[in-house]
Amino acid sequence: MEPFVLKNNSILLIDTWTERYPGLVAGMTTKNGGTSKGNFETLNLGFHVNDNVNDVGSNREIVSDLLDFSINNWVGAEQTHDTFIKKVSKADRGLGAASYDQSFKGTDGFYTNEEGILLTLCFADCVPLFFIAPQARMIGAAHAGWKGTVGKIAGKMIEAWQKEGIAPEQIFVAVGPSICEKCYIVDDRVINLVENTLEDVEGKPYNLIRDGQYSLDLREVNRQILLKAGIPAKNISVTGFCSSCHHDIFFSHRRDQGRTGRMLSFIGWKETNDHL
């Protein structure tokens, strides 16, 4: 079953999570319903892609209103395709929300067990990972391009949560809209790194299509890493949405040859006294 459900022109939600856990917002934006022009048409949420800063700010306010989650409570990152993950608290709210300069440097993942914080990351083909451990009220998000994926950012999130006393079987993960294997062609260098990462996995998540060129299922690589980290298969849900194929819904760095906007992944508990 598709975990990401289009709620309106601009938002997809992880339906099973948001229905099951009151106060949770979790999902992904589309490229539609904003104010940006040209290559960034229209709901670009990335400050770092040379879009008009005022348009990006306006787009972020649109999403803030749709989610009913104040932009003052967002956190954002300067994503570097690495594997550093930051635990954030209410004291961090607002950093990276309205300005790229104030975002967390060299960070590709966030987690928190505090309410009133929206964890946000930007995407245009890379794999968005969403994490929740409902019993511990812990939530997380990670940005997994091929570098972050082979660097096992997914596994590092699980390790960080284990240090917080959370067992892997308590953790649920959603793998979000990103480029599919048909649209993602890589070379031997990337495949060698994937093989090293998944050295004891029988079913390989790639296919040779011509000499030195492979189609790679980056979402499946992340799923295998999560399984190796101890997450039960039934706790992992994977989207069928491709950022490149679904050109009417998503920005795609590959499809648009680098001249494009960014979607935003988001996950956060609204402030509430209602701990159900």
Side-chain angles (χ1 to χ4, degrees):
M1 190 176 92
E2 172 57 50
F4 290 79
V5 177
L6 196 62
K7 291 299 177 179
N8 55 50
N9 199 29
S10 304
I11 301 289
L12 299 107
L13 292 181
I14 307 174
D15 233 21
T16 52
W17 290 12
T18 55
E19 287 182 4
R20 188 174 301 159
Y21 309 119
L24 181 73
V25 290
M28 190 98 170
T29 61
T30 71
K31 71 174 188 178
N32 300 315
T35 60
S36 292
K37 323 273 189 310
N39 293 328
F40 309 111
E41 207 174 316
T42 59
L43 191 63
N44 168 46
L45 281 307
F47 281 117
H48 62 295
V49 293
N50 295 320
D51 190 8
N52 181 289
V53 174
N54 291 330
D55 286 344
V56 179
S58 173
N59 291 341
R60 286 178 169 239
E61 289 290 354
I62 288 168
V63 174
S64 172
D65 289 344
L66 286 170
L67 299 179
D68 190 25
F69 215 119
S70 171
I71 199 164
N72 298 324
N73 294 351
W74 296 16
V75 292
E78 173 206 53
Q79 298 160 222
T80 55
H81 295 271
D82 211 328
T83 60
F84 180 72
I85 297 167
K86 169 79 175 171
K87 186 179 184 182
V88 293
S89 69
K90 285 184 179 178
D92 299 310
R93 293 192 298 192
L95 295 175
S99 163
Y100 190 61
D101 294 339
Q102 294 181 326
S103 60
F104 284 91
K105 306 303 178 199
T107 300
D108 284 87
F110 290 123
Y111 68 101
T112 189
N113 56 359
E114 294 187 28
E115 295 181 347
I117 309 170
L118 192 70
L119 313 178
T120 73
L121 295 167
C122 287
F123 294 87
D125 281 337
C126 295
V127 180
L129 300 172
F130 302 77
F131 303 79
I132 187 168
Q135 291 167 279
R137 304 279 294 175
M138 192 73 82
I139 52 173
H143 162 251
W146 72 260
K147 289 182 182 177
T149 296
V150 299
K152 299 184 181 178
I153 193 169
K156 289 184 178 181
M157 184 73 78
I158 307 308
E159 288 173 12
W161 287 23
Q162 285 181 288
K163 290 175 184 174
E164 299 269 351
I166 301 170
E169 53 269 19
Q170 295 176 297
I171 303 170
F172 295 82
V173 186
V175 180
S178 44
I179 196 164
C180 76
E181 65 275 17
K182 292 175 187 172
C183 297
Y184 194 48
I185 311 303
V186 298
D187 57 18
D188 291 301
R189 178 178 61 113
V190 175
I191 293 302
N192 288 338
L193 291 166
V194 170
E195 286 185 327
N196 291 338
T197 301
L198 300 179
E199 53 193 353
D200 55 353
V201 172
E202 286 185 21
K204 299 301 181 185
Y206 56 83
N207 287 297
L208 179 68
I209 52 174
R210 52 186 169 272
D211 191 36
Q213 298 282 290
Y214 303 79
S215 63
L216 174 62
D217 188 343
L218 210 52
R219 296 188 287 223
E220 177 61 16
V221 181
N222 280 283
R223 195 182 77 87
Q224 293 289 348
I225 290 167
L226 290 162
L227 291 170
K228 286 176 73 174
I231 305 297
K234 64 182 173 58
N235 288 16
I236 306 170
S237 55
V238 182
T239 190
F241 281 113
C242 170
S243 50
S244 180
C245 292
H246 294 97
H247 58 86
D248 54 331
I249 305 177
F250 302 115
F251 297 114
S252 169
H253 190 269
R254 283 221 167 187
R255 182 194 67 223
D256 303 333
Q257 300 178 316
R259 298 183 298 276
T260 196
R262 296 294 185 273
M263 290 87 67
L264 197 76
S265 74
F266 53 85
I267 185 168
W269 296 109
K270 292 186 179 179
E271 287 187 288
T272 174
N273 297 318
D274 205 11
H275 288 197
L276 298 178

Coordinates of all heavy atoms in Angstrom, one line a residue, residues 10-88:
S10 N -0.4 20.6 -2.9 CA 0.9 20.9 -2.4 C 1.5 19.9 -1.4 O 2.7 19.9 -1.1 CB 1.0 22.3 -1.7 OG 0.5 23.3 -2.6
I11 N 0.7 19.0 -0.8 CA 1.2 18.2 0.3 C 0.8 16.7 0.1 O -0.3 16.4 -0.2 CB 0.5 18.7 1.6 CG1 0.9 20.1 1.9 CG2 0.9 17.8 2.8 CD1 2.3 20.4 2.3
L12 N 1.8 15.8 0.4 CA 1.5 14.4 0.6 C 1.8 14.1 2.1 O 2.8 14.6 2.6 CB 2.4 13.5 -0.3 CG 2.4 13.7 -1.8 CD1 3.6 14.4 -2.3 CD2 2.3 12.3 -2.4
L13 N 0.9 13.3 2.7 CA 1.1 12.9 4.0 C 1.3 11.4 4.1 O 0.8 10.6 3.3 CB -0.1 13.3 4.9 CG -0.4 14.8 5.2 CD1 -1.6 14.9 6.0 CD2 0.9 15.5 5.8
I14 N 2.1 11.0 5.2 CA 2.2 9.6 5.5 C 0.9 9.2 6.3 O 0.8 9.4 7.5 CB 3.5 9.2 6.3 CG1 4.7 9.8 5.6 CG2 3.6 7.7 6.5 CD1 6.0 9.7 6.4
D15 N -0.1 8.8 5.5 CA -1.4 8.7 6.1 C -1.6 7.8 7.3 O -2.2 8.1 8.3 CB -2.4 8.2 4.9 CG -3.6 9.1 4.8 OD1 -3.5 10.3 5.2 OD2 -4.6 8.6 4.2
T16 N -1.0 6.6 7.2 CA -1.1 5.7 8.3 C -0.5 6.2 9.6 O -1.1 6.0 10.7 CB -0.5 4.3 8.0 OG1 0.9 4.5 7.6 CG2 -1.2 3.6 6.9
W17 N 0.5 7.0 9.5 CA 1.2 7.5 10.7 C 0.3 8.7 11.3 O 0.1 8.8 12.5 CB 2.6 8.1 10.4 CG 3.6 7.0 10.1 CD1 3.4 5.7 9.9 CD2 5.0 7.2 10.0 NE1 4.6 5.1 9.7 CE2 5.6 6.0 9.7 CE3 5.8 8.3 10.1 CZ2 7.0 5.8 9.5 CZ3 7.2 8.2 9.9 CH2 7.7 6.9 9.6
T18 N -0.1 9.6 10.4 CA -0.8 10.8 10.8 C -2.2 10.5 11.4 O -2.7 11.2 12.3 CB -0.8 11.9 9.7 OG1 -1.5 11.3 8.6 CG2 0.5 12.4 9.4
E19 N -2.8 9.4 10.9 CA -4.1 9.0 11.4 C -3.9 8.3 12.7 O -4.8 8.4 13.6 CB -4.8 8.1 10.4 CG -5.3 8.9 9.2 CD -6.0 8.0 8.2 OE1 -6.2 6.8 8.5 OE2 -6.4 8.5 7.1
R20 N -2.9 7.5 12.9 CA -2.7 6.7 14.1 C -2.2 7.5 15.3 O -2.5 7.2 16.4 CB -1.7 5.6 13.8 CG -1.5 4.5 14.9 CD -0.7 3.4 14.4 NE -1.2 2.8 13.2 CZ -0.5 2.0 12.4 NH1 0.8 1.9 12.6 NH2 -1.0 1.5 11.3
Y21 N -1.4 8.6 15.0 CA -0.7 9.3 16.1 C -1.2 10.8 16.1 O -0.7 11.6 15.3 CB 0.8 9.2 15.9 CG 1.3 7.8 15.8 CD1 2.0 7.4 14.6 CD2 1.1 6.9 16.7 CE1 2.4 6.1 14.4 CE2 1.5 5.6 16.6 CZ 2.2 5.2 15.4 OH 2.6 3.9 15.3
P22 N -2.1 11.1 16.9 CA -2.6 12.5 17.0 C -1.5 13.5 17.3 O -0.6 13.2 18.1 CB -3.6 12.4 18.2 CG -4.0 11.0 18.3 CD -2.8 10.2 17.9
G23 N -1.6 14.6 16.5 CA -0.6 15.6 16.7 C 0.6 15.5 15.8 O 1.5 16.4 15.8
L24 N 0.7 14.4 15.1 CA 1.9 14.2 14.2 C 1.6 14.7 12.8 O 0.5 14.5 12.2 CB 2.2 12.7 14.1 CG 3.4 12.3 13.2 CD1 4.7 12.7 13.9 CD2 3.4 10.9 12.8
V25 N 2.5 15.5 12.2 CA 2.5 15.8 10.8 C 3.8 15.2 10.2 O 4.9 15.3 10.7 CB 2.4 17.3 10.6 CG1 1.1 17.9 11.0 CG2 3.6 18.1 11.3
A26 N 3.6 14.5 9.1 CA 4.7 13.8 8.4 C 4.4 13.6 7.0 O 3.4 13.1 6.6 CB 5.0 12.5 9.1
G27 N 5.4 14.1 6.1 CA 5.1 13.9 4.7 C 6.1 14.7 3.9 O 7.2 15.0 4.3
M28 N 5.6 15.1 2.7 CA 6.5 15.7 1.7 C 5.7 16.7 0.9 O 4.5 16.5 0.6 CB 6.9 14.6 0.7 CG 8.0 15.0 -0.3 SD 9.6 14.4 0.4 CE 10.6 14.7 -1.1
T29 N 6.3 17.8 0.5 CA 5.6 18.8 -0.4 C 5.7 18.3 -1.9 O 6.6 17.5 -2.2 CB 6.2 20.2 -0.3 OG1 7.6 20.1 -0.7 CG2 6.1 20.7 1.1
T30 N 4.9 18.8 -2.7 CA 5.0 18.7 -4.2 C 5.7 19.9 -4.7 O 6.2 20.8 -4.0 CB 3.6 18.5 -4.8 OG1 2.9 19.8 -4.8 CG2 2.8 17.5 -4.1
K31 N 5.7 20.1 -6.0 CA 6.2 21.3 -6.6 C 5.1 22.3 -7.0 O 5.4 23.3 -7.5 CB 7.0 20.9 -7.9 CG 6.2 20.5 -9.1 CD 7.0 20.3 -10.3 CE 6.2 20.1 -11.6 NZ 7.1 20.0 -12.8
N32 N 3.9 22.0 -6.5 CA 2.8 22.8 -7.0 C 2.2 23.7 -5.8 O 2.2 23.3 -4.7 CB 1.7 21.9 -7.5 CG 2.2 21.1 -8.7 OD1 2.8 21.7 -9.6 ND2 1.8 19.8 -8.8
G33 N 1.6 24.8 -6.2 CA 0.9 25.7 -5.3 C 1.7 26.8 -4.7 O 1.3 27.4 -3.7
G34 N 2.8 27.2 -5.3 CA 3.7 28.2 -4.8 C 3.7 29.5 -5.6 O 2.9 29.7 -6.5
T35 N 4.7 30.3 -5.4 CA 4.9 31.6 -6.0 C 6.1 31.7 -6.9 O 6.3 32.7 -7.5 CB 4.9 32.7 -5.0 OG1 6.0 32.5 -4.1 CG2 3.6 32.8 -4.2
S36 N 7.0 30.7 -6.9 CA 8.2 30.8 -7.7 C 8.0 30.7 -9.2 O 7.0 30.2 -9.6 CB 9.2 29.6 -7.2 OG 9.6 29.8 -5.9
K37 N 8.9 31.2 -9.9 CA 8.8 31.3 -11.4 C 9.8 30.5 -12.1 O 10.8 30.0 -11.5 CB 8.9 32.8 -11.8 CG 8.3 33.8 -10.9 CD 6.9 34.1 -11.1 CE 6.4 35.3 -10.3 NZ 6.7 35.3 -8.9
G38 N 9.7 30.4 -13.4 CA 10.7 29.8 -14.3 C 11.0 28.3 -13.9 O 10.1 27.5 -13.7
N39 N 12.3 28.0 -13.8 CA 12.7 26.6 -13.4 C 12.2 26.2 -12.1 O 12.1 25.0 -11.8 CB 14.2 26.5 -13.5 CG 14.8 26.7 -14.8 OD1 14.1 26.3 -15.8 ND2 16.0 27.2 -14.9
F40 N 11.8 27.2 -11.2 CA 11.4 26.8 -9.8 C 9.9 26.8 -9.7 O 9.4 26.8 -8.6 CB 12.0 27.9 -8.9 CG 13.5 28.0 -9.1 CD1 14.0 29.2 -9.6 CD2 14.4 27.0 -8.8 CE1 15.4 29.3 -9.8 CE2 15.7 27.1 -9.0 CZ 16.2 28.3 -9.5
E41 N 9.2 26.8 -10.8 CA 7.7 26.8 -10.8 C 7.2 25.6 -10.1 O 7.5 24.4 -10.4 CB 7.3 26.8 -12.2 CG 5.9 27.5 -12.4 CD 5.6 27.6 -13.9 OE1 6.5 28.0 -14.7 OE2 4.5 27.3 -14.3
T42 N 6.4 25.7 -9.0 CA 6.1 27.0 -8.3 C 6.4 26.9 -6.8 O 6.7 27.9 -6.2 CB 4.6 27.3 -8.5 OG1 3.8 26.3 -7.9 CG2 4.2 27.6 -9.9
L43 N 6.3 25.7 -6.2 CA 6.5 25.6 -4.8 C 7.9 25.1 -4.4 O 8.2 24.1 -3.8 CB 5.5 24.6 -4.2 CG 5.3 24.6 -2.7 CD1 4.9 26.0 -2.1 CD2 4.4 23.5 -2.2
N44 N 8.9 26.0 -4.9 CA 10.3 25.6 -4.5 C 10.5 26.0 -3.0 O 10.3 27.2 -2.6 CB 11.3 26.4 -5.4 CG 12.7 26.3 -4.8 OD1 13.2 25.3 -4.4 ND2 13.4 27.5 -4.8
L45 N 11.0 25.1 -2.2 CA 11.3 25.3 -0.8 C 12.8 25.5 -0.5 O 13.2 25.6 0.7 CB 10.7 24.2 0.1 CG 9.2 24.2 0.3 CD1 8.7 25.6 0.9 CD2 8.4 23.9 -0.9
G46 N 13.7 25.4 -1.5 CA 15.1 25.4 -1.3 C 15.6 26.8 -1.4 O 15.5 27.5 -2.5
F47 N 16.4 27.3 -0.4 CA 17.0 28.6 -0.4 C 18.3 28.6 -1.3 O 18.7 29.6 -1.7 CB 17.4 29.0 1.0 CG 16.3 29.6 1.8 CD1 15.9 28.9 3.0 CD2 15.6 30.7 1.4 CE1 14.9 29.4 3.8 CE2 14.6 31.2 2.2 CZ 14.2 30.6 3.4
H48 N 18.9 27.4 -1.5 CA 20.2 27.3 -2.0 C 20.3 27.1 -3.5 O 21.4 26.8 -4.1 CB 20.9 26.2 -1.3 CG 20.3 24.8 -1.6 ND1 19.0 24.5 -1.1 CD2 20.7 23.7 -2.2 CE1 18.7 23.3 -1.5 NE2 19.7 22.8 -2.2
V49 N 19.2 27.3 -4.3 CA 19.2 26.9 -5.7 C 19.1 28.2 -6.6 O 18.7 28.0 -7.8 CB 18.0 25.9 -6.0 CG1 18.3 24.6 -5.3 CG2 16.7 26.5 -5.6
N50 N 19.3 29.3 -6.0 CA 19.3 30.6 -6.8 C 18.0 31.1 -7.2 O 17.8 31.8 -8.2 CB 20.3 30.5 -8.0 CG 21.7 30.4 -7.6 OD1 22.2 31.0 -6.6 ND2 22.4 29.5 -8.3
D51 N 16.9 30.6 -6.5 CA 15.6 31.2 -6.7 C 15.5 32.5 -5.9 O 16.4 32.8 -5.1 CB 14.6 30.2 -6.1 CG 13.1 30.5 -6.5 OD1 12.9 31.4 -7.3 OD2 12.2 29.9 -5.9
N52 N 14.5 33.3 -6.2 CA 14.2 34.5 -5.5 C 14.0 34.2 -4.1 O 13.0 33.4 -3.8 CB 13.0 35.2 -6.2 CG 12.7 36.6 -5.5 OD1 12.2 36.6 -4.4 ND2 13.0 37.6 -6.2
V53 N 14.7 34.8 -3.2 CA 14.6 34.5 -1.7 C 13.2 34.8 -1.2 O 12.7 34.1 -0.3 CB 15.7 35.2 -0.9 CG1 15.5 35.0 0.6 CG2 17.1 34.7 -1.4
N54 N 12.7 35.9 -1.7 CA 11.3 36.3 -1.2 C 10.3 35.3 -1.6 O 9.3 35.0 -0.9 CB 10.9 37.7 -1.7 CG 11.8 38.8 -1.1 OD1 12.2 38.6 0.0 ND2 12.0 39.8 -1.8
D55 N 10.4 34.7 -2.8 CA 9.5 33.7 -3.3 C 9.6 32.4 -2.4 O 8.6 31.8 -2.0 CB 9.8 33.3 -4.7 CG 9.3 34.4 -5.7 OD1 8.5 35.2 -5.3 OD2 9.7 34.4 -6.9
V56 N 10.9 32.0 -2.1 CA 11.1 30.8 -1.2 C 10.5 31.1 0.1 O 9.8 30.2 0.7 CB 12.6 30.5 -1.1 CG1 12.8 29.3 -0.2 CG2 13.2 30.3 -2.5
G57 N 10.7 32.3 0.7 CA 10.1 32.6 2.0 C 8.6 32.5 1.9 O 7.9 32.0 2.8
S58 N 8.0 33.1 0.8 CA 6.5 33.0 0.7 C 6.0 31.6 0.6 O 5.0 31.2 1.1 CB 6.2 33.8 -0.6 OG 4.8 33.6 -0.9
N59 N 6.8 30.7 -0.2 CA 6.4 29.3 -0.3 C 6.5 28.6 1.0 O 5.6 27.8 1.3 CB 7.4 28.6 -1.3 CG 7.1 29.1 -2.7 OD1 6.1 29.7 -3.1 ND2 8.1 28.9 -3.6
R60 N 7.4 28.9 1.8 CA 7.5 28.3 3.2 C 6.4 28.7 4.1 O 5.9 27.9 4.8 CB 8.9 28.6 3.8 CG 10.0 27.9 3.1 CD 11.4 28.2 3.7 NE 12.3 27.2 3.2 CZ 13.1 26.4 3.9 NH1 13.0 26.4 5.2 NH2 13.9 25.5 3.3
E61 N 5.9 30.0 3.9 CA 4.8 30.4 4.7 C 3.5 29.7 4.2 O 2.6 29.3 5.0 CB 4.6 31.9 4.5 CG 5.6 32.8 5.3 CD 5.5 32.7 6.8 OE1 4.6 32.1 7.3 OE2 6.4 33.3 7.4
I62 N 3.4 29.4 2.9 CA 2.3 28.6 2.4 C 2.2 27.3 3.0 O 1.2 26.8 3.5 CB 2.4 28.5 0.8 CG1 2.1 29.9 0.2 CG2 1.4 27.5 0.3 CD1 2.4 30.0 -1.3
V63 N 3.4 26.6 3.1 CA 3.4 25.3 3.7 C 3.2 25.3 5.2 O 2.5 24.5 5.7 CB 4.8 24.6 3.4 CG1 4.9 23.3 4.1 CG2 5.0 24.4 1.9
S64 N 3.7 26.3 5.8 CA 3.5 26.5 7.3 C 2.0 26.6 7.5 O 1.4 26.0 8.5 CB 4.2 27.8 7.7 OG 3.8 28.1 9.1
D65 N 1.3 27.4 6.7 CA -0.2 27.5 6.9 C -0.9 26.2 6.6 O -1.9 25.8 7.3 CB -0.7 28.6 6.0 CG -0.3 30.0 6.4 OD1 0.1 30.2 7.5 OD2 -0.4 30.9 5.6
L66 N -0.5 25.5 5.6 CA -1.2 24.2 5.2 C -1.0 23.2 6.3 O -1.9 22.4 6.6 CB -0.6 23.7 3.9 CG -1.0 24.4 2.6 CD1 -0.2 23.9 1.4 CD2 -2.5 24.2 2.3
L67 N 0.2 23.2 7.0 CA 0.4 22.2 8.0 C 0.0 22.7 9.4 O 0.0 21.9 10.3 CB 1.9 21.9 8.1 CG 2.5 21.3 6.8 CD1 4.0 21.0 7.0 CD2 1.8 20.0 6.4
D68 N -0.4 24.0 9.5 CA -0.7 24.6 10.8 C 0.5 24.4 11.7 O 0.3 23.9 12.9 CB -2.0 24.0 11.3 CG -2.5 24.8 12.5 OD1 -2.1 26.0 12.7 OD2 -3.2 24.2 13.4
F69 N 1.7 24.7 11.2 CA 2.9 24.5 12.0 C 3.8 25.7 11.8 O 4.4 25.9 10.7 CB 3.7 23.2 11.6 CG 4.3 22.5 12.7 CD1 4.0 21.2 13.0 CD2 5.4 23.1 13.4 CE1 4.6 20.5 14.0 CE2 6.0 22.4 14.4 CZ 5.6 21.1 14.7
S70 N 3.9 26.6 12.8 CA 4.6 27.9 12.6 C 6.0 27.7 12.1 O 6.8 26.9 12.6 CB 4.7 28.6 14.0 OG 5.5 29.8 13.9
I71 N 6.4 28.6 11.1 CA 7.7 28.5 10.5 C 8.8 28.8 11.6 O 9.9 28.4 11.5 CB 7.8 29.4 9.3 CG1 9.0 29.1 8.5 CG2 7.9 30.9 9.8 CD1 9.0 29.6 7.1
N72 N 8.4 29.5 12.6 CA 9.3 29.8 13.7 C 9.8 28.5 14.5 O 10.7 28.5 15.2 CB 8.7 30.8 14.7 CG 8.4 32.1 14.1 OD1 9.1 32.6 13.3 ND2 7.3 32.7 14.5
N73 N 9.0 27.4 14.2 CA 9.3 26.2 14.9 C 10.0 25.1 14.0 O 10.2 24.0 14.4 CB 8.0 25.6 15.5 CG 7.4 26.4 16.6 OD1 8.1 27.4 17.1 ND2 6.2 26.1 17.1
W74 N 10.3 25.5 12.8 CA 11.0 24.6 11.9 C 12.5 24.6 12.2 O 13.1 25.6 12.7 CB 10.8 25.1 10.4 CG 9.5 25.1 9.9 CD1 8.3 25.0 10.6 CD2 9.1 25.1 8.5 NE1 7.2 25.1 9.7 CE2 7.7 25.1 8.4 CE3 9.9 25.2 7.3 CZ2 7.0 25.2 7.2 CZ3 9.2 25.3 6.1 CH2 7.8 25.3 6.0
V75 N 13.2 23.5 11.8 CA 14.6 23.5 11.7 C 15.0 23.0 10.3 O 14.3 22.2 9.7 CB 15.3 22.6 12.8 CG1 15.1 23.2 14.2 CG2 14.8 21.2 12.7
G76 N 16.1 23.5 9.8 CA 16.6 23.1 8.5 C 18.1 23.0 8.4 O 18.8 23.4 9.3
A77 N 18.6 22.3 7.4 CA 20.0 21.9 7.3 C 20.7 22.4 6.0 O 20.0 22.5 5.0 CB 20.1 20.4 7.4
E78 N 22.0 22.6 6.1 CA 22.8 22.8 4.9 C 23.3 21.3 4.6 O 24.2 20.8 5.2 CB 24.0 23.7 5.3 CG 25.1 23.7 4.2 CD 26.5 24.0 4.7 OE1 26.9 23.3 5.6 OE2 27.0 25.0 4.1
Q79 N 22.6 20.7 3.7 CA 22.8 19.3 3.4 C 24.0 19.1 2.5 O 24.2 19.8 1.5 CB 21.5 18.7 2.8 CG 20.3 18.8 3.7 CD 19.0 18.7 2.9 OE1 18.0 19.4 3.2 NE2 18.9 17.8 2.0
T80 N 24.9 18.2 2.9 CA 26.2 18.0 2.2 C 26.4 16.6 1.7 O 27.5 16.2 1.4 CB 27.3 18.4 3.1 OG1 27.2 17.6 4.4 CG2 27.3 19.9 3.5
H81 N 25.3 15.8 1.6 CA 25.4 14.4 1.2 C 26.4 13.6 2.0 O 27.1 12.7 1.5 CB 25.8 14.3 -0.3 CG 24.8 14.9 -1.2 ND1 23.8 14.2 -1.8 CD2 24.7 16.2 -1.7 CE1 23.1 15.0 -2.6 NE2 23.6 16.2 -2.5
D82 N 26.4 13.9 3.3 CA 27.2 13.1 4.3 C 26.3 12.4 5.2 O 25.1 12.1 4.9 CB 28.1 14.1 5.0 CG 29.4 13.4 5.4 OD1 29.4 12.2 5.6 OD2 30.4 14.2 5.4
T83 N 26.7 12.0 6.4 CA 25.9 11.2 7.3 C 25.8 11.7 8.7 O 25.5 11.0 9.6 CB 26.5 9.7 7.3 OG1 27.9 9.8 7.9 CG2 26.5 9.1 6.0
F84 N 26.1 13.0 8.9 CA 26.0 13.6 10.2 C 24.5 13.8 10.6 O 23.8 14.4 9.8 CB 26.8 14.9 10.3 CG 26.7 15.5 11.7 CD1 27.3 15.0 12.8 CD2 25.9 16.6 11.9 CE1 27.2 15.5 14.1 CE2 25.7 17.2 13.2 CZ 26.4 16.6 14.3
I85 N 24.2 13.4 11.8 CA 22.8 13.5 12.2 C 22.8 14.3 13.5 O 23.6 14.0 14.4 CB 22.2 12.0 12.5 CG1 22.1 11.3 11.2 CG2 20.8 12.1 13.1 CD1 21.8 9.8 11.4
K86 N 21.9 15.2 13.7 CA 21.8 16.1 14.8 C 20.5 15.9 15.6 O 19.4 15.9 15.1 CB 21.9 17.5 14.3 CG 21.6 18.6 15.3 CD 22.7 18.9 16.2 CE 22.4 20.1 17.2 NZ 23.5 20.2 18.2
K87 N 20.7 15.7 16.9 CA 19.5 15.7 17.8 C 19.2 17.1 18.1 O 20.0 17.9 18.6 CB 19.8 14.9 19.1 CG 18.5 14.8 20.0 CD 18.8 14.0 21.2 CE 17.5 13.8 22.0 NZ 17.7 13.1 23.3
V88 N 17.9 17.5 17.9 CA 17.6 18.9 18.1 C 16.5 19.0 19.2 O 15.9 18.1 19.6 CB 17.0 19.6 16.8 CG1 18.1 19.7 15.8 CG2 15.8 18.8 16.3

